[in-house]
Amino acid sequence: MLKPTKQQVLKSVYGYLIVTLAGILNAVSMFCFIDPCNLIAGGVSGLSSGVGYLVCHFIGDVNFAQFDLIKWIVYFALNAPLLILALIFVRGDFTFKTIWATIVCTATGFLFNEFLPKELFQFSASPLISILFGGVLIGFSMYIASEENGSNGGTEVIAKIVAKKKPGTDLSKIILICNLTIMLAGAVIVMILFDDKGFEVVIYSLIYVYLGSSIMGVFKRGFNHPQKFLIVTTKYEEMSALITERFKRGLSYMEVEKTWEGSEDRKVIIVIVQYRQATHLKQIIKKCDPKAFTIVKDVHDVFSRPLFNRSYKTK
């Protein structure tokens, strides 16, 4: 077995430090913003809250500190079998980082419950503030964990296992359905146990889950994400020259064999631009060929050219 280099060791340490931060942020989001307002997160976090509320209800007079302790025990207990399945079916770096993130999140929750003054760090008076800050934190937590090939556990582990067995499955839909189902079930439990909360629990919880997913997507795409233009035009030479001059980038052609509009010589221009540059490209299309048929699609990543955003600037 080859001995790992110093650079590989440092990279591995850095990855686990980032995953540690992700676990801490996950715990902060739940402890400081979500649980005090009796809201329900998605995934195993939301399921553990719902189970925690039921346990507290049947036990009787239980304060928030006791609920929080029960909730974190349930959180780890629910994650444990999923992590065992990940060790069996997934293995690799993802599994070990996910296990570490789950341990860090659980330990942080216990420490917060034991040592932090709750009246100072819990924003139960304003659900709107809670879902905004909590959603941003959980979204950023999921993003940095995924960037280092890890996760916060729960439904993300299920998605990895499904991907291992059925690579063609749309995992984003599976995760979304699981999270929404758990969130709605937990919100119904809160509505039944806390009469004064009512339907607002469902609304705020939905906003929190949606905001967290959206924030993760924003960090992944960036604020100036690429867009792909497919332009079917007869003025492809003139348009290509203007695009090359304006954006200082390459483009590609696709041949068009036949169109319903006639037998004119047409080609498809394929070009990638940043989101802020899309308006300039549309102006060029209108100027060269107002009859051009154009399709615009969001591009999630340009991985073969990591300096894409900095290398190409609008003239």
Side-chain angles (χ1 to χ4, degrees):
M1 181 179 292
L2 294 176
K3 184 178 180 180
T5 64
K6 181 179 179 181
Q7 185 177 4
Q8 289 174 326
V9 172
L10 290 175
K11 183 178 180 180
S12 179
V13 170
Y14 173 79
Y16 275 90
L17 286 175
I18 295 298
V19 171
T20 300
L21 177 61
I24 293 172
L25 291 178
N26 188 17
V28 171
S29 176
M30 289 189 285
F31 180 84
C32 295
F33 298 103
I34 301 308
D35 292 341
C37 295
N38 301 125
L39 302 181
I40 301 295
V44 171
S45 301
L47 186 59
S48 60
S49 295
V51 173
Y53 288 128
L54 286 175
V55 171
C56 291
H57 175 72
F58 287 113
I59 290 177
D61 186 19
V62 179
N63 59 36
F64 185 83
Q66 291 171 309
F67 158 77
D68 214 42
L69 182 63
I70 294 171
K71 180 256 177 75
W72 288 111
I73 293 173
V74 173
Y75 174 80
F76 189 79
L78 292 175
N79 266 298
L82 294 176
L83 297 176
I84 292 172
L85 288 175
L87 279 172
I88 297 172
F89 295 108
V90 181
R91 303 177 187 176
D93 195 44
F94 170 84
T95 301
F96 294 111
K97 285 181 177 177
T98 301
I99 291 173
W100 177 244
T102 304
I103 292 173
V104 169
C105 182
T106 306
T108 303
F110 278 123
L111 291 174
F112 282 176
N113 185 64
E114 187 69 26
F115 297 108
L116 285 186
K118 295 177 174 53
E119 66 280 357
L120 181 62
F121 290 95
Q122 293 177 344
F123 301 90
S124 58
S126 177
L128 184 59
I129 291 178
S130 294
I131 61 173
L132 288 176
F133 282 91
V136 170
L137 283 176
I138 193 62
F140 184 64
S141 170
M142 291 188 295
Y143 165 71
I144 62 175
S146 66
E147 287 295 293
E148 293 299 327
N149 192 32
S151 77
N152 288 324
T155 51
E156 293 168 80
V157 175
I158 298 174
K160 274 287 185 179
I161 295 173
V162 173
K164 192 81 172 179
K165 297 297 180 182
K166 297 182 178 180
T169 306
D170 188 348
L171 300 179
S172 62
K173 290 184 179 180
I174 294 176
I175 293 174
L176 179 62
I177 291 171
C178 289
N179 285 343
L180 288 178
T181 301
I182 292 170
M183 187 278 301
L184 289 172
V188 169
I189 292 173
V190 173
M191 289 175 62
I192 294 172
L193 298 182
F194 302 93
D195 295 333
D196 59 323
K197 295 294 179 180
F199 191 67
E200 67 181 38
V201 171
V202 179
I203 302 301
Y204 282 131
S205 298
L206 275 171
I207 295 173
Y208 170 76
V209 172
Y210 176 78
L211 181 60
S213 301
S214 300
I215 291 296
M216 182 182 179
V218 167
F219 279 114
K220 275 188 171 294
R221 293 191 304 269
F223 295 95
N224 192 23
H225 61 276
Q227 288 192 316
K228 178 171 73 173
F229 278 69
L230 302 174
I231 311 163
V232 183
T233 177
T234 58
K235 309 289 186 181
Y236 51 86
E237 291 183 352
E238 177 186 352
M239 195 177 297
S240 298
L242 283 175
I243 291 172
T244 303
E245 179 186 359
R246 183 72 175 270
F247 299 105
K248 303 298 181 184
R249 69 181 64 236
L251 46 80
S252 301
Y253 284 146
M254 286 179 60
E255 297 291 339
V256 177
E257 293 185 1
K258 184 179 180 181
T259 67
W260 68 274
E261 293 178 335
S263 58
E264 293 183 274
D265 182 24
R266 298 172 185 271
K267 288 186 179 181
V268 180
I269 300 175
I270 306 173
V271 62
I272 307 293
V273 297
Q274 273 75 50
Y275 178 78
R276 294 172 188 162
Q277 297 173 330
T279 301
H280 300 289
L281 180 53
K282 290 176 182 177
Q283 291 172 352
I284 291 175
I285 296 170
K286 289 180 180 179
K287 178 181 177 181
C288 293
D289 186 3
K291 295 182 179 180
F293 180 71
T294 305
I295 301 172
V296 184
K297 298 183 68 176
D298 284 334
V299 176
H300 295 293
D301 196 9
V302 181
F303 68 90
S304 61
R305 293 186 182 180
L307 299 179
F308 181 82
N309 288 331
R310 286 179 284 175
S311 297
Y312 299 110
K313 301 295 181 181
T314 305
K315 184 177 178 183

